[in-house]
Amino acid sequence: MQRTVKVEGSKAKQGAYDDMHARHVTRLQIKLDNLLFADFLLKLQRCLGAVCGMQWYAYATLGITMALLSFLMDFSVAKMLGAQQWLYGQLEGNFLLQFLCWTLYPACLCALAATFCQSICPFSTGSGIPEVRTMLAGIDMPLYLSLTNMFSKFLGLFCTLAAGSTVFLGKVGPFVHLSTMFAAYLDNMFSLLQGIKKEKTSDMLVVAAAVGVASCFGAPVSGVLFSVEVMGSHYSLRHYFPCFFSAACGALTFRFFSVWSGDMETVQALFKTNFPSALPFYPLEIVLFAFLGLLCGAVGCCYLFCHRWILQFTKTNPLFIRMQTEKGLYSAGVVFFLACLTFPPSTGQYMASEYTTKELLTSLLDCRQWSSLSHNASVHQELSLKWNTSEMPLLLSLAFFLLMKIWMLVLACTLPLPAGYFMPMFVLGAAGGRLLGEGVAHVFSTGVVFGHHWDSVYPGVYALAGAAALSGAVTHTLSPALLAVELTGQFSHAVPILLATLLANGLARSGNRPSFYDAISINKKLPHLPSLVKAYPQISLTTVAHILEKDSVQLQKAAGPEEVRHIVVASVQLQIPVVDSEDSQILVGFVQRSELLKFLHHCKTQNLQQQMDDVCCIQPVSSLLSPSSTVDMAYSMMSVLELQTLFVADKGKLVGCLTWSKMKEILQALAKEN
């Protein structure tokens, strides 16, 4: 019996020993696997780094991935819209079912998008460009770069685009925001691969802004120009080459996917046109293009006024505030109302409502004169399917489309959905240009004016110039002129398009009017100083002396360990100003916080009582600011020079210092007050 117990005890001990040995072997195996993985990452880093810097792989990955996402979204949305059109056609003859199919489909999709975004991440609604601009200005907004935000924004945008031209919203702004979110995670991943810790991702975010536009249209040059104009108040030349490289990768990938899917025969312009280059326009037509630019500028001013008014109205009106508490219900109601207006048997027959946004732009850029084609039965029948009706001629349909879509777009801007607003303005500008071009073609082809017959007037060119001019006027940018050229490949018409865009911009910018994105920044009270200055010019007159703290942190040149220790404990500034003495207050320079810590450690270990200037390196001040300088000037200096601390001195005497963290607090306070 005792022997049996001893045997069983020895077996138990042996089993425990075996388990312990197995766990030990497992831990060793895990450590070995980790070492092998770390060694693999090191070899991969060296291999990739031997060709070029690791950041260039990140730029290429960013462009290719965003182009893939853009293509997949376009492909999926096209299938959804095709399914709705097929179902609508199958219900022909049943008015009620066709009406329900036309109205409930977009209403349910938008209600789903609004409810989903509100439940998952409320920050995913809207364009996203105003928030990205604020982040590029140095303001931390981590919620707008979260993975949840990216997921909800992508799915919400898909539902918005799948609602079709009834809602009449685009994807440029949300894709810029999606690109920045993906860029932030990509930058962290490649930094981890390199084994370095990065605190700033602004370089990748600037590149992502260009990639977002390039991946939507396959237009890299206008994408970079858009990021220069819209995203940052100051643009650094070090971003120039990375932006072009990443945008070119995205644009090429987007074009190749279009070829592989069968949409295009080869890598070509997204909206292929056939405007003749032998005689692109008559010299006197330059006056007409200038008039078109001024007309688009005036329409842009009216639209911006209505947009600012509706934003303020929905923010202050109690009824709208109560309605917007239920995001899904509000979205469904507004979209159902818009769908009723665009129902083809009703007023939709005068607005070519059966066209998708891409089909609308393709038809408006047609170089043929619609009025001269009315005698051709087959072509006339083709156009009459969408634009022409027996009750309203083509030109009146264009005018009705333009007037109706403008106020409908203003109403659609209040929807709590992920949506872009650039492409709708591009299409509306094309409709306005087409209207003028058809009128010019009709008048001059008869020789009524000056007795000249201008048989080669192409209304599609006017549509292209109008599209660039109106979208440029609303966004206060010139990049739409280049985008129009890249989308169509019509470089022979670059001069009239640029002229119209310049004049439209000049008229829209007059009176210091805020742009479309500025108005959203102001409405959301984002701490973006360029937008705040446009709305409240008195901010630019605020001097630095009014915002400086009265008790500024400073050190004497001959400070001892006790004084240095007191400053290190009391302040978290990275750069401490150094004055000659307390009496003179003459600014000598500044000392880094790390130098002060070394000085204290040196005094403690050596048990010496030394002065700060004997050990620490006092660096000269390269940039000084006067107390009478404005907040706008201080913000510009800190942004351009990337300064964390800006010292303020009056006749050489230290007045105080302005840190970037303090500047962010000031901007946030100004945004809330105004």
Side-chain angles (χ1 to χ4, degrees), residues 344-361:
S346 62
T347 55
Q349 62 183 311
Y350 310 122
M351 296 185 287
S353 59
E354 292 186 58
Y355 272 145
T356 63
T357 303
K358 185 175 182 179
E359 290 171 342
L360 279 172
L361 188 57

Side-chain angles (χ1 to χ4, degrees), residues 189-204:
M189 186 182 70
F190 272 82
S191 299
L192 193 63
L193 184 63
Q194 290 178 287
I196 60 176
K197 184 178 180 181
K198 292 185 66 175
E199 297 180 356
K200 292 180 64 179
T201 59
S202 58
D203 291 355
M204 278 294 284

Side-chain angles (χ1 to χ4, degrees), residues 536-557:
Y536 311 102
Q538 67 273 14
I539 293 177
S540 60
L541 303 177
T542 306
T543 60
V544 176
H546 288 87
I547 61 175
L548 282 178
E549 296 179 354
K550 295 183 179 179
D551 298 328
S552 61
V553 177
Q554 61 183 24
L555 277 172
Q556 296 184 73
K557 185 172 62 173

Side-chain angles (χ1 to χ4, degrees), residues 520-537:
I520 297 177
S521 297
I522 296 165
N523 181 261
K524 291 186 174 182
K525 295 187 178 297
L526 297 176
H528 186 250
L529 188 60
S531 301
L532 294 173
V533 169
K534 286 187 178 181
Y536 311 102

Side-chain angles (χ1 to χ4, degrees), residues 467-485:
L470 184 58
S471 54
V474 170
T475 57
H476 289 185
T477 58
L478 295 177
S479 52
L482 186 57
L483 178 63
V485 173

Side-chain angles (χ1 to χ4, degrees), residues 560-631:
E562 290 300 326
E563 186 179 350
V564 171
R565 186 178 294 106
H566 174 73
I567 291 297
V568 169
V569 173
S571 174
V572 294
Q573 287 182 214
L574 298 178
Q575 298 174 349
I576 310 297
V578 179
V579 296
D580 186 56
S581 64
E582 288 187 359
D583 297 331
S584 65
Q585 290 291 307
I586 299 298
L587 181 63
V588 177
F590 68 92
V591 62
Q592 297 286 350
R593 184 182 179 86
S594 57
E595 290 281 332
L596 297 178
L597 294 175
K598 290 180 182 178
F599 169 70
L600 293 175
H601 180 71
H602 176 77
C603 292
K604 183 178 180 180
T605 55
Q606 300 295 329
N607 198 18
L608 298 174
Q609 291 292 325
Q610 290 183 319
Q611 294 181 352
M612 182 190 65
D613 56 343
D614 293 334
V615 179
C616 298
C617 176
I618 301 177
Q619 302 180 23
V621 178
S622 58
S623 301
L624 274 177
L625 203 63
S626 170
S628 59
S629 301
T630 61
V631 176

Side-chain angles (χ1 to χ4, degrees), residues 27 35 80 104 200 214 276 310 365 411 498 505 563 598 671:
R27 285 196 296 267
L35 288 174
M80 292 285 289
L104 293 183
K200 292 180 64 179
I310 196 72
L365 295 179
L411 180 60
L498 182 59
N505 254 278
E563 186 179 350
K598 290 180 182 178

